[in-house]
Amino acid sequence: MRILLVDDEEELVATLAERLEMRGMTATWVTNYRAALQAVDQQSFDIALLDVRLPEMNGLDLKRLIEA
């Protein structure tokens, strides 16, 4: 399973990605909406976990952009 993690708290998202990878999943993590959009353009994901309170753009708006 390929997972995209988006959260502005770098330590949290890096730790979560590490834990998921220990369980056999592929986790890509980023800390802002621009990097998230770039990641989605470069590869496909089975699921995305988005922080609702990102700086500059909230997670719900990011979800809409990813789905478009």
Side-chain angles (χ1 to χ4, degrees):
M1 177 174 280
R2 297 173 65 100
I3 302 171
L4 174 62
L5 305 170
V6 185
D7 196 304
D8 57 318
E9 294 183 40
E10 186 173 339
E11 186 176 333
L12 171 71
V13 76
T15 300
L16 181 56
E18 182 180 325
R19 296 289 182 143
L20 290 168
E21 288 180 355
M22 288 171 54
R23 287 161 179 77
M25 297 173 214
T26 302
T28 299
W29 62 271
V30 296
T31 58
N32 61 65
Y33 84 93
R34 287 182 196 92
L37 293 174
Q38 186 176 36
V40 168
D41 283 343
Q42 294 175 353
Q43 58 186 306
S44 63
F45 295 94
D46 298 306
I47 191 167
L49 236 53
L50 310 175
D51 182 359
V52 174
R53 290 188 234 165
L54 290 169
E56 299 181 30
M57 176 182 288
N58 71 50
L60 297 175
D61 290 338
L62 176 57
K63 174 189 168 289
R64 289 181 191 103
L65 285 176
I66 289 172
E67 289 178 329

